[in-house]
Amino acid sequence: MQKKNNIQPLFFIALLFCASVASAQQDSTATIRPIKKSDPKIGLVLSGGGAKGLAHIGALKVIDSLGIEVDYVAGTSMGAIVGSLYASGYTGQQLDSIFQTINFDNIISDDIPRKAKTFYERRENERYAVTLPFKDFSVQLPSSLSKGQNIYNLLSRLLSNVKSIDNFENLPIPFFCIATDVTTGEEVVLDSGYLPRAVNASGALPSLFAPVEIDGRLLIDGGVTDNYPVEKLRAKGMDIIIGVDVQDDLRTLDELNGALDILTQINNFRTIHDMEQKIPKTDIYIAPDISEFSVVSFDQGNKIIQRGFTATSKKINQLKAYRQRNYQKPELTNIAQDSIYLKYLDITGNENYSRSFIKGRFKIKTPGMVAYEDINNGINNLQATNNFKKINYEILEKKVGTVLEIRVEESDVRNYLRLGLHYDELLRSAALVNLSRKNVLFDNDIVSADFIVGDNIRYNFDYYIDKGRYWSIGLHSEFVKFEQDIRASLVEDINNSVPLGVNSIEIQYRDWTQQFYLQTSLAKSFNLVAGAEIKSLTAFTETLETNDLENDRTYFSDGTLGSIYGKILLDSYDNAQFPNSGWWVQTDFHLYLFNTEFGDDFNEFSIAQIEVGRAISAGKWTLALDAMLGISIGQHNNSSLDFYLGGYGARRINNIVPFYGYDFISLGGDTMLNAGAEIDYEIFKKNHLSFGFNLANVSDDLFERRDWFTQAQYVGYALGYGIETFLGPIKLKYSFSPQQDDGQFFVQLGYRF
């Protein structure tokens, strides 16, 4: 029995040995990586490179597909942006999906959605091509092309899942990024604080984005000092480092095509020299072929991502050695939450603008659930005022709950010089110089004066006190004039005069208008206006002979009219010139109380009109519909304010209404029905082909006719080509009508003013 007991343990020991050998053989076929007591710590370093940094996403997709668990991420500039999102929990595939939906033109620029602007701000911003602040009689050129606010807004939303983490070591994957102190030239390692702001600072490319202030230091792009922080990542205890390098090589003389290329080349002198030491410190070095792209080639993002995927796939045999068995990076489930419960708003940094003004523009009610979109809209509403250099905000978890901390940097610029150019077939060529000043008498007021020179000298003057949701106060004065040949038969019909003996006459038109008004917002994009108006209106011709030896003018109007008026405005168009979506509704009612031209013989009358527009898009196609009704109520002594149809491209002057197929002021009457449609196709970015038509019925006492609704008297068509430029729209229309012998070309260059 004792012998038997000695054999049994040996048998079990042999059995366990065989099992362990079999298990080792099984594991050697199940995993490619060698068995170690502990897995190596893997670090990932992502370089800066602007749009070329989108290649990082392609690299991450391959890394994820192999089941490689990254232990630390370091990045600079675009590498910091992509790296922070990856470190916060996104997978490479999720990042690919996110970046497919981003409009980089809107993100890079300071473009503020039109819906964030008040009616007054829209009118101001849609007249000028260039705006330059000036101080102490010296123009202040901007420090960058963009404030970077839109990027900050995007990062704040995408990184909302880690908003309570202020030590980047505690992110799902530990992370740090590199920035540069612009005042000392020192590199700054950002590994704590508010993650969106840190990443925003690391990617603040000089001259393109404004510097970011953090802890009293003004920071710019980390690529200036360390565009590939491999040494600092190794110092975090990483055993293996995977590096993705999207930096430029030196360009040849033929490849240097502009100032941006030259500035990039100068920076590349240092980075290429640095990489000679950094590449050997990288265990798996990945350099996608992105030589044909620039730092702003965001429109070719899909190609760049694919280049990153391709380059990383070529390293797949090296990468396989470090994949973890049964590891798959989990997808982030709470991507960019739609809303968050906010306890309150904490506002700091404001001196000249009250807390109530800022909260009124922000339009967020706390405590309560607040959508991230509403936070972005609030930031845009504040940005639209141009009262602030930058608006920093953080969403923080505190003992009382989640708090939105807003820190504003007020602009010390109160004066602006604005410039514009325009041409159309009615007002002809014009150059605009505008001088504006804020905070003249009150914190929320503005004085604006347009001086317009060219074929017709004109001016606009505005004083506006912005009261937000309350009744704002405005004063407006303008003078406009033009000369236009019109059919003599139109004058004969309207004035019931005898034949004039000529085919056409040249009308000279002068309008001088003064308005006082109150304006309030009833809801988003919905305004109510009430006011009083004094209008001096003169229309005359020197074409006809007169019996007066001292005056060779024949006057059709020469008096001053007084009226009170009310308007209801709804404008939700996303773009004033090439709308893709939204509504436009304007109702206007003027009650005319006197006209000095007729004295006691004057009869009170009113003019009412309503215009409705709708834009609907599908892909690159947009359908724009428009309808308008205008009517005079009561007898009036002359026809100067009747509805006159024809022409295209000029700003609206009184009741002169655009109409395809006819020249300016070709059709007239005291009552008008007008409807039209236009199909727009964006053949490529910001270039539009269009086809439109309109039909109208216009005459005196139109509604007294039985067929006023069914019988359209006039019809016109137009083929057009339009381009969106920084100077404003450029539009060319060929307009024709089967009722006319000849077609008309209409040209519009620049914003209307």
Side-chain angles (χ1 to χ4, degrees):
M1 292 292 297
Q2 194 169 358
K3 228 182 213 187
K4 203 170 184 184
N5 288 337
N6 289 336
I7 293 173
Q8 193 172 20
L10 291 173
F11 174 78
F12 281 111
I13 291 171
L15 205 61
L16 288 171
F17 175 78
C18 292
S20 64
V21 170
S23 176
Q25 290 176 340
Q26 184 178 2
D27 285 346
S28 67
T29 58
T31 179
I32 297 175
R33 61 189 296 275
I35 295 179
K36 291 187 177 183
K37 291 182 180 179
S38 61
D39 292 328
K41 291 187 177 297
I42 298 174
L44 176 66
V45 59
L46 305 176
S47 80
K52 294 177 293 184
L54 294 175
H56 296 318
I57 296 174
L60 293 174
K61 290 169 67 176
V62 176
I63 290 171
D64 286 349
S65 69
L66 294 174
I68 296 173
E69 184 175 7
V70 175
D71 296 288
Y72 219 117
V73 178
T76 298
S77 194
M78 193 64 178
I81 293 174
V82 175
S84 66
L85 293 169
Y86 190 72
S88 70
Y90 292 92
T91 66
Q93 185 60 54
Q94 285 179 309
L95 291 178
D96 192 356
S97 300
I98 289 170
F99 279 86
Q100 298 293 338
T101 64
I102 294 175
N103 185 327
F104 282 99
D105 283 347
N106 293 340
I107 293 298
I108 292 173
S109 71
D110 279 331
D111 283 348
I112 299 171
R114 195 166 180 267
K115 65 181 181 181
K117 302 170 185 175
T118 65
F119 276 82
Y120 184 86
E121 289 164 349
R122 292 177 192 179
R123 191 183 71 176
E124 290 293 287
N125 287 297
E126 290 164 2
R127 285 196 298 192
Y128 311 115
V130 177
T131 297
L132 296 172
F134 69 92
K135 186 178 179 182
D136 299 328
F137 301 99
S138 176
V139 173
Q140 307 289 304
L141 295 177
S143 61
S144 60
L145 296 177
S146 170
K147 296 178 182 178
Q149 187 72 54
N150 289 340
I151 289 181
Y152 185 76
N153 293 348
L154 176 66
L155 290 171
S156 294
R157 182 172 65 87
L158 293 178
L159 295 170
S160 61
N161 63 301
V162 292
K163 61 182 179 298
S164 60
I165 299 176
D166 57 7
N167 184 343
F168 303 165
E169 290 274 354
N170 297 329
L171 291 169
I173 303 175
F175 168 80
F176 72 83
C177 60
I178 305 297
T180 303
D181 189 323
V182 72
T183 60
T184 65
E186 298 174 343
E187 71 174 38
V188 179
V189 177
L190 299 172
D191 55 10
S192 63
Y194 192 59
L195 184 57
R197 184 172 298 154
V199 174
N200 198 17
S202 180
L205 189 67
S207 75
L208 184 59
F209 298 116
V212 177
E213 184 180 344
I214 297 180
D215 296 333
R217 307 183 78 173
L218 203 59
L219 305 181
I220 60 172
D221 195 306
V224 175
T225 51
D226 191 351
N227 206 32
Y228 188 83
V230 62
E231 298 93 346
K232 298 176 184 64
L233 183 59
R234 181 76 72 180
K236 296 291 185 180
M238 297 299 105
D239 301 308
I240 301 297
I241 291 183
I242 302 168
V244 185
D245 181 13
V246 294
Q247 301 173 84
D248 276 324
D249 290 326
L250 292 178
R251 298 195 174 197
T252 65
L253 180 62
D254 293 337
E255 294 172 328
L256 295 173
N257 298 318
L260 184 60
D261 289 341
I262 294 173
L263 289 173
T264 304
Q265 181 89 331
I266 294 171
N267 188 60
N268 287 344
F269 294 152
R270 179 191 54 78
T271 58
I272 290 174
H273 174 73
D274 289 348
M275 289 307 295
E276 293 175 0
Q277 284 77 43
K278 290 176 180 288
I279 292 175
K281 298 175 182 178
T282 309
D283 297 288
I284 301 177
Y285 177 71
I286 301 167
D289 179 13
I290 36 78
S291 57
E292 65 186 87
F293 308 105
S294 74
V295 294
V296 291
S297 298
F298 290 101
D299 58 331
Q300 301 184 71
N302 286 331
K303 290 183 179 179
I304 297 172
I305 291 173
Q306 185 59 42
R307 295 291 175 88
F309 185 91
T310 301
T312 309
S313 297
K314 292 178 181 179
K315 303 283 185 175
I316 200 164
N317 289 331
Q318 292 176 260
L319 291 167
K320 280 182 178 179
Y322 304 105
R323 67 183 184 182
Q324 282 78 8
R325 185 177 58 176
N326 299 325
Y327 174 77
Q328 182 67 48
K329 185 176 185 184
E331 289 193 345
L332 188 64
T333 56
N334 57 337
I335 296 177
Q337 302 173 11
D338 292 334
S339 58
I340 188 172
Y341 185 87
L342 291 179
K343 188 67 176 180
Y344 65 89
L345 272 66
D346 185 16
I347 300 170
T348 60
N350 57 309
E351 296 180 2
N352 297 315
Y353 299 95
S354 66
R355 177 183 172 86
S356 60
F357 172 80
I358 294 174
K359 287 191 67 175
R361 276 305 187 103
F362 222 82
K363 299 179 180 178
I364 285 179
K365 294 182 179 180
T366 57
M369 292 298 295
V370 176
Y372 276 96
E373 183 181 359
D374 289 336
I375 295 175
N376 287 345
N377 289 340
I379 296 296
N380 288 330
N381 293 341
L382 286 177
Q383 285 284 96
T385 65
N386 283 326
N387 293 333
F388 306 98
K389 292 179 183 177
K390 195 161 187 178
I391 302 154
N392 294 309
Y393 65 94
E394 298 180 6
I395 302 171
L396 302 174
E397 297 291 346
K398 295 191 175 182
K399 291 182 179 179
V400 296
T402 304
V403 176
L404 177 61
E405 289 191 352
I406 304 169
R407 183 169 62 86
V408 298
E409 296 179 38
E410 292 185 355
S411 173
D412 57 356
V413 175
R414 298 169 60 189
N415 305 308
Y416 296 89
L417 171 66
R418 296 168 174 169
L419 307 173
L421 293 173
H422 181 80
Y423 176 83
D424 64 64
E425 304 295 333
L426 181 65
L427 296 173
R428 307 294 177 177
S429 61
L432 179 153
V433 177
N434 170 271
L435 296 175
S436 299
R437 181 176 176 85
K438 290 191 170 187
N439 306 342
V440 180
L441 301 176
F442 305 97
D443 288 341
N444 306 329
D445 70 357
I446 182 172
V447 173
S448 175
D450 291 339
F451 303 95
I452 303 166
V453 296
D455 290 324
N456 293 287
I457 296 176
R458 300 178 276 136
Y459 84 84
N460 295 298
F461 174 84
D462 286 279
Y463 177 73
Y464 187 71
I465 304 174
D466 185 359
K467 293 290 187 179
R469 290 175 292 178
Y470 303 102
W471 285 96
S472 299
I473 301 170
L475 295 172
H476 174 73
S477 176
E478 69 173 61
F479 174 76
V480 61
K481 72 185 184 87
F482 63 83
E483 299 174 359
Q484 174 69 19
D485 286 333
I486 66 172
R487 296 182 297 108
S489 58
L490 177 65
V491 177
E492 295 167 0
D493 292 341
I494 292 176
N495 292 307
N496 297 317
S497 61
V498 297
L500 300 176
V502 293
N503 292 325
S504 66
I505 60 175
E506 183 184 70
I507 291 289
Q508 299 193 44
Y509 192 96
R510 310 283 187 270
D511 182 293
W512 188 33
T513 299
Q514 330 298 323
Q515 292 177 332
F516 168 79
Y517 61 91
L518 302 174
Q519 179 172 300
T520 187
S521 298
L522 301 180
K524 285 184 177 181
S525 302
F526 192 72
N527 263 27
L528 180 64
V529 181
E533 178 183 271
I534 301 294
K535 180 184 293 290
S536 296
L537 186 59
T538 302
F540 64 89
T541 182
E542 296 177 349
T543 304
L544 303 176
E545 293 184 1
T546 66
N547 297 323
D548 189 344
L549 298 178
E550 296 180 357
N551 190 350
D552 58 357
R553 296 179 175 181
T554 300
Y555 284 90
F556 302 105
S557 178
D558 186 20
T560 298
L561 299 91
S563 66
I564 56 175
Y565 67 92
K567 293 183 179 181
I568 298 175
L569 305 170
L570 170 64
D571 180 6
S572 61
Y573 277 163
D574 62 333
N575 185 303
Q577 300 293 335
F578 297 94
N580 292 306
S581 63
W583 287 87
W584 164 266
V585 179
Q586 175 172 293
T587 64
D588 182 295
F589 181 83
H590 272 70
L591 174 61
Y592 290 90
L593 304 175
F594 68 85
N595 187 342
T596 60
E597 184 176 3
F598 300 100
D600 294 338
D601 294 331
F602 173 78
N603 296 314
E604 288 185 6
F605 71 98
S606 57
I607 295 179
Q609 52 189 301
I610 180 171
E611 182 178 8
V612 179
R614 177 76 167 111
I616 307 168
S617 63
K620 292 188 175 183
W621 293 90
T622 299
L623 173 64
L625 304 172
D626 185 79
M628 185 175 181
L629 166 66
I631 182 172
S632 294
I633 304 170
Q635 296 182 352
H636 54 285
N637 305 72
N638 71 0
S639 54
S640 302
L641 293 176
D642 278 0
F643 298 95
Y644 294 99
L645 275 60
Y648 179 82
R651 51 156 286 192
R652 176 81 180 267
I653 302 172
N654 291 326
N655 294 323
I656 299 174
V657 180
F659 191 77
Y660 296 145
Y662 291 81
D663 202 355
F664 289 99
I665 315 180
S666 292
L667 311 169
D670 64 12
T671 311
M672 172 201 64
L673 282 171
N674 184 7
E678 183 168 277
I679 298 173
D680 180 286
Y681 178 69
E682 190 172 11
I683 53 174
F684 43 90
K685 191 175 181 179
K686 297 186 177 182
N687 285 256
H688 303 258
L689 285 175
S690 63
F691 170 75
F693 77 92
N694 47 206
L695 50 90
N697 202 342
V698 56
S699 70
D700 290 339
D701 303 320
L702 177 64
F703 294 144
E704 294 183 7
R705 295 168 44 184
R706 293 182 178 179
D707 60 352
W708 65 268
F709 182 76
T710 58
Q711 188 65 40
Q713 288 187 326
Y714 307 103
V715 64
Y717 304 89
L719 297 171
Y721 187 83
I723 308 174
E724 300 176 60
T725 75
F726 79 96
L727 291 174
I730 299 176
K731 295 183 179 181
L732 175 65
K733 299 274 189 180
Y734 176 69
S735 170
F736 59 95
S737 170
Q739 300 158 339
Q740 297 286 294
D741 295 332
D742 300 317
Q744 304 280 339
F745 274 104
F746 296 109
V747 178
Q748 177 191 341
L749 302 177
Y751 296 111
R752 299 184 180 108
F753 50 76

